[in-house]
Amino acid sequence: MKQLVAFDLDGTLAESKQPLKDSMGEALADLLTVAHVAVISGGDWPQFDKQVASRLPERADRSKLWLMPTTGTKLYTYADGRWNTVYAELFSDEQKAAIIEAFHASLEATGFVPEQTWGERIEDRGSQITFSALGQQAPLDAKEHWDPDFAKRKVIQADLRQRLPDLSINMGGATSIDITQKGVDKAYGLKRLRDESGIPLDAMMFIGDAIFPGGNDYPAKELGLDTVKVRDPDETLSVIAAIVACQK
């Protein structure tokens, strides 16, 4: 029996930057009756609030829900009728400037300039700097077709790792690359979750769509957690239903 089930967000619980569907909110409420639930992803708190926190049915036991924005460099829990910050680890202004400069240089060097973008391509999330190739507001269809096999981002990622050897650089979502402090990835976030929750790693499992070398969910597998790789949110619904049935 697992005490906690952790999830990636985009591509796993919801389509990229889209709110949870009602069916997923109900499924998570069911899961919260038998286990703690964590969500760890690259988005910042406003995105988590839009996609997850505000989409849960009233019956959901939020006291057992752990929300971990920016790859676990922030943690929010629910108490006294509201979401509260447990911790937040932020970049310095100098680090942010160096990262943004490296992004611009890498994109110029690798030549990946899309024909059309929607909104800002580089976002400062405090504890994480995120590059979204088509812009933060790109439509889902355009995002899904830009780099479905991660090939374009692997080139950019390799170049950035040469420029920023002291930082962690991972692919996330449909078009994103996330930069955090060295050693900060989902394994780091899950270890912080262990420390904050008191739930041991061997009592956790992780579900995500990018559990492969270079994918931002792969560190959970390297950490030794039991993992389930899913294709999309529809498959996640089936996995959750199976877990609830087994736990009961």
Side-chain angles (χ1 to χ4, degrees):
M1 298 265 299
K2 295 296 182 182
Q3 296 179 46
L4 183 145
V5 183
F7 295 88
D8 168 54
L9 179 50
D10 285 350
T12 301
L13 292 176
E15 300 295 346
S16 180
K17 294 202 171 180
Q18 301 303 303
L20 298 185
K21 291 181 178 178
D22 291 343
S23 56
M24 186 63 77
E26 295 292 342
L28 290 178
D30 291 342
L31 184 57
L32 285 163
T33 67
V34 297
H36 287 253
V37 171
V39 182
I40 179 169
S41 188
D44 206 351
W45 172 251
Q47 194 68 32
F48 267 68
D49 190 25
K50 169 191 168 186
Q51 289 186 261
V52 182
S54 64
R55 297 292 299 166
L56 297 170
E58 192 62 35
R59 68 184 180 91
D61 185 358
R62 291 163 175 79
S63 68
K64 292 164 63 179
L65 184 59
W66 307 78
L67 298 182
M68 308 187 75
T70 54
T71 319
T73 54
K74 297 179 182 179
L75 172 63
Y76 289 77
T77 57
Y78 193 83
D80 301 321
R82 62 189 178 92
W83 290 99
N84 304 282
T85 306
V86 178
Y87 65 78
E89 303 166 353
L90 306 178
F91 277 125
S92 68
D93 290 341
E94 293 78 9
Q95 288 175 311
K96 292 177 184 179
I99 292 167
I100 291 171
E101 181 180 344
F103 261 129
H104 288 304
S106 182
L107 293 172
E108 182 175 349
T110 56
F112 285 109
V113 181
E115 294 179 1
Q116 185 177 3
T117 58
W118 294 263
E120 293 295 324
R121 299 176 75 197
I122 299 175
E123 182 183 7
D124 175 3
R125 297 177 177 173
S127 55
Q128 175 176 295
I129 308 296
T130 293
F131 164 72
S132 297
L134 302 183
Q136 296 293 328
Q137 309 304 321
L140 183 59
D141 183 64
K143 293 169 72 171
E144 288 180 339
H145 287 89
W146 184 73
D147 190 27
D149 60 357
F150 295 83
K152 294 176 182 177
R153 279 177 291 166
K154 285 179 180 177
V155 173
I156 301 170
Q157 180 189 46
D159 183 85
L160 283 168
R161 284 177 169 168
Q162 295 295 317
R163 299 175 189 275
L164 300 169
D166 297 327
L167 298 175
S168 285
I169 300 162
N170 291 290
M171 295 177 284
T175 65
S176 299
I177 294 177
D178 302 323
I179 296 185
T180 57
Q181 298 281 11
K182 190 68 172 179
V184 172
D185 54 21
K186 288 184 179 175
Y188 171 89
L190 290 164
K191 286 187 283 189
R192 288 297 307 261
L193 178 60
R194 172 200 61 196
D195 297 341
E196 296 292 341
S197 68
I199 298 172
L201 293 174
D202 61 8
M204 299 181 185
M205 69 180 300
F206 181 87
I207 299 170
D209 68 320
I211 304 175
F212 53 81
N216 69 348
D217 295 332
Y218 194 66
K221 185 177 185 68
E222 293 181 304
L223 186 59
L225 267 65
D226 291 332
T227 60
V228 179
K229 184 180 184 300
V230 294
R231 292 186 303 271
D232 53 33
D234 286 340
E235 188 171 12
T236 301
L237 285 173
S238 299
V239 173
I240 292 174
I243 293 170
V244 172
C246 289
Q247 295 279 75
K248 285 185 175 179

